[in-house]
Amino acid sequence: MDLLQSFLQHWQQQYPALQPGSCRLLLAVSGGPDSMVMTDLLVRGGFDCTVLHCNFGLRGDESDRDEQVVKSLAAAYNVEVKVRAFDTKAEADSRQLSIQETARELRYEWFGAELNKIQAPAYIVTAHHADDNIETMLMRLFRGTGIRGLTGIPAFRKDARLLRPLLVFRKQQLLDHAAAHAIPFAEDSSNSTDKYTRNFFRNRLIPAVKEVYPNAEENLVHTIAMLNEATMLYEQSVNLQLNKLLEQKGNEWHIPVLKWQQAKPLQTITWEIIRQFGFSAGQTAEAIKLLGAVNGSTLTSPTHRLIRNRNWIIITTTDTDQAAHLLVEEPVRELRFPGGTLRFHTEELPLDETAKAAAISKLQENRDAGTVVFDADKVDFPLLVRKWKTGDYFYPLGMQKKKKLNRFFIDQKLSPTAKEQVWVLESNRKLIWIAGYRMDDRFKVTAATKRILKVVYLK
């Protein structure tokens, strides 16, 4: 069967809703054989295409040659072409990334910007093929990955509106098609070196394996397909367990520690929980340790934080303007949170008893509902800033008996909406302040106090 016919048949099966005339395709074309053949197949298939080419300026004259090859093919097919030149080395220095990572970021940032300019349904299309998929799967395997990593490159990414229609076709099929239809393309000289990891797998590792297992590549293509189907069953099972564990409260997730500890298989379930919140696979063991850690212990990803809070693990954003549970690791100068701002100040009291008494008296005179002063040595860090909840209690200043917050709010004549806006400050599982209302008597300043912690609440 001719490659064009096979390609269009596969497209119909893979993307049945995307037919010629129903969408716009933005083709990522480097000038190499894969993307040039992809362009030929889609244009001849009747799709509305625009060619996008990135000139990263990394290979001197070769980079400019690639650009001309792409422009020539687009002109021959009467297809719109857009070219973007980048100072990739300068961008890499600025972003503190490798050249490869920077080029990838620049490429997809531009593709996304072009995609957003189009009002009609539109998609980015790349020319990744089966050989790329094999290399990706092997690199992930040796680097360490979960079951999803072994499924290779996805054929469709809905979030990025990204299509990869060539994943079922081998590289040699594309080269044969290019030769049969005289499709011009440029060869990237860097592909023949082992400078990059992918090239090492392509040029050395896979050929060496094929000396022992001649059908290794075909077997891996088949394995990837089976793993994709197995992953569907895996995800169904995992989702059942996660739905039993995770409780969403606002923009946070709460998990009972005991339930998490009893989940089996623990390592797999733990990874499936934390991976959604920006944690790496290498942090799985640390997350499991957190289940047995002391109250207030944390584990942080670039976007989220796990907090051990009594019998719960709370997963909250690291964005303090959105989080409903925030940790104060050490006395900080200022903390912004959804309920306002907390300002912290610590200082030593004078050693002289008369001067100390005068300092304490002055602190008490200047105190208002939004300001509180604690005996710093009675307060254990980290502190937890959170919304109050049913069952919370404290020992109101001046009282020796505990009082539940529900009862305290009735005494304060707070409306239901006012109660919803109340935040508390917690130290070692004890409420030390109902912010803006009353502190806990156990943490008050006395004649024996040596250091004070002053906290101001600004709504």
Side-chain angles (χ1 to χ4, degrees):
M1 185 184 293
D2 176 71
L3 182 62
L4 177 60
Q5 187 179 351
S6 298
F7 174 79
L8 293 177
Q9 188 177 83
H10 169 69
W11 183 282
Q12 178 66 38
Q13 294 170 349
Q14 186 77 53
Y15 315 111
L18 306 180
Q19 298 305 312
S22 69
C23 60
R24 183 84 169 276
L25 303 180
L26 304 185
L27 314 185
V29 183
S30 66
D34 312 331
S35 57
M36 298 292 271
V37 168
M38 178 186 72
T39 303
D40 175 78
L41 295 172
L42 288 168
V43 172
R44 290 172 61 199
F47 289 91
D48 180 12
C49 302
T50 295
V51 169
L52 303 182
H53 175 74
C54 299
N55 187 335
F56 294 111
L58 296 171
R59 294 180 290 113
D61 292 341
E62 270 196 17
S63 294
D64 296 331
R65 177 211 61 190
D66 293 351
E67 179 180 326
Q68 292 307 314
V69 169
V70 172
K71 286 180 175 178
S72 296
L73 185 71
Y77 287 147
N78 195 28
V79 170
E80 179 186 23
V81 60
K82 294 185 178 182
V83 176
R84 180 75 179 271
F86 298 98
D87 187 346
T88 311
K89 290 181 179 178
E91 284 286 344
D93 290 339
S94 174
R95 301 181 186 215
Q96 296 185 324
L97 296 172
S98 70
I99 291 291
Q100 278 189 309
E101 288 175 305
T102 302
R104 186 179 188 282
E105 284 193 359
L106 292 172
R107 177 190 301 123
Y108 283 105
E109 285 170 8
W110 179 46
F111 291 171
E114 290 297 323
L115 197 61
N116 291 333
K117 293 177 182 178
I118 302 172
Q119 298 298 320
Y123 299 87
I124 299 294
V125 189
T126 68
H128 294 92
H129 48 73
D131 294 54
D132 294 322
N133 216 5
I134 292 168
E135 293 158 7
T136 298
M137 183 259 212
L138 290 175
M139 286 190 292
R140 290 175 179 172
L141 175 65
F142 286 109
R143 187 170 59 229
T145 186
I147 187 171
R148 288 185 189 85
L150 298 178
T151 60
I153 306 169
F156 176 49
R157 277 188 53 197
K158 185 177 180 180
D159 60 330
R161 288 185 284 169
L162 177 63
L163 312 177
R164 299 183 176 104
L166 297 181
L167 286 175
V168 298
F169 300 102
R170 298 298 308 277
K171 172 82 170 187
Q172 191 58 52
Q173 290 177 275
L174 306 182
L175 292 173
D176 291 344
H177 182 83
H181 295 273
I183 300 171
F185 60 83
E187 288 285 4
D188 183 343
S189 61
S190 65
N191 286 339
S192 62
T193 71
D194 293 336
K195 180 179 179 181
Y196 301 114
T197 303
R198 184 175 292 275
N199 289 356
F200 172 79
F201 275 76
R202 179 182 303 159
N203 301 329
R204 297 180 60 184
L205 182 63
I206 294 174
V209 171
K210 287 174 67 177
E211 290 181 10
V212 182
Y213 299 105
N215 296 323
E217 291 174 306
E218 289 76 10
N219 294 340
L220 286 170
V221 169
H222 181 60
T223 298
I224 290 171
M226 289 194 299
L227 284 170
N228 270 283
E229 292 190 1
T231 299
M232 295 179 189
L233 297 175
Y234 168 82
E235 289 181 342
Q236 289 173 14
S237 177
V238 165
N239 288 336
L240 284 174
Q241 292 227 42
L242 297 190
N243 288 337
K244 294 177 183 177
L245 285 172
L246 290 153
E247 299 178 24
Q248 187 170 12
K249 297 185 178 182
N251 61 352
E252 295 184 339
W253 295 90
H254 294 212
I255 308 174
V257 170
L258 184 59
K259 280 189 177 181
W260 190 339
Q261 288 174 324
Q262 293 174 340
K264 293 181 180 180
L266 181 58
Q267 185 162 319
T268 297
I269 293 300
T270 299
W271 164 237
E272 291 297 336
I273 291 172
I274 68 173
R275 75 176 187 85
Q276 307 172 62
F277 302 101
F279 292 88
S280 68
Q283 292 178 286
T284 303
E286 296 175 71
I288 292 173
K289 286 182 182 178
L290 189 67
L291 300 177
V294 298
N295 192 63
S297 299
T298 65
L299 181 64
T300 304
S301 79
T303 59
H304 286 78
R305 178 179 287 119
L306 303 183
I307 303 172
R308 172 66 193 264
N309 184 40
R310 304 185 184 185
N311 297 322
W312 295 81
I313 296 293
I314 297 170
I315 306 174
T316 184
T317 175
T318 52
D319 183 348
T320 58
D321 287 334
Q322 297 183 31
H325 285 76
L326 299 98
L327 278 185
V328 183
E329 302 285 358
E330 293 292 341
V332 294
R333 188 170 182 273
E334 185 173 283
L335 174 71
R336 292 177 57 196
F337 67 107
T341 301
L342 292 177
R343 290 179 179 168
F344 298 84
H345 172 70
T346 56
E347 66 177 80
E348 301 280 341
L349 290 176
L351 293 176
D352 179 78
E353 293 300 325
T354 302
K356 179 194 283 189
I360 292 174
S361 177
K362 185 177 180 180
L363 287 170
Q364 292 172 338
E365 287 174 6
N366 295 334
R367 190 171 59 203
D368 56 36
T371 303
V372 68
V373 180
F374 303 107
D375 184 326
D377 293 319
K378 295 177 182 177
V379 177
D380 295 325
F381 282 84
L383 301 179
L384 180 64
V385 181
R386 63 171 174 83
K387 285 284 191 73
W388 79 281
K389 63 179 184 289
T390 302
D392 277 340
Y393 67 88
F394 77 129
Y395 290 77
L397 184 63
M399 297 178 61
Q400 300 303 309
K401 292 184 178 181
K402 69 181 181 182
K403 176 173 284 192
K404 288 194 172 183
L405 262 58
N406 267 324
R407 183 73 246 177
F408 176 74
F409 293 151
I410 292 172
D411 294 343
Q412 297 293 310
K413 297 181 171 57
L414 293 189
S415 69
T417 54
K419 287 193 291 184
E420 290 175 359
Q421 305 305 315
V422 174
W423 291 76
V424 299
L425 191 61
E426 181 180 313
S427 170
N428 196 20
R429 305 177 70 172
K430 299 182 182 71
L431 297 191
I432 65 174
W433 188 29
I434 316 307
Y437 293 96
R438 189 82 62 85
M439 70 173 285
D440 189 291
D441 190 77
R442 294 169 293 180
F443 299 87
K444 67 185 178 184
V445 173
T446 66
T449 298
K450 297 179 180 179
R451 297 185 307 124
I452 61 101
L453 170 64
K454 180 179 178 181
V455 186
V456 178
Y457 178 29
L458 304 173
K459 292 186 179 180

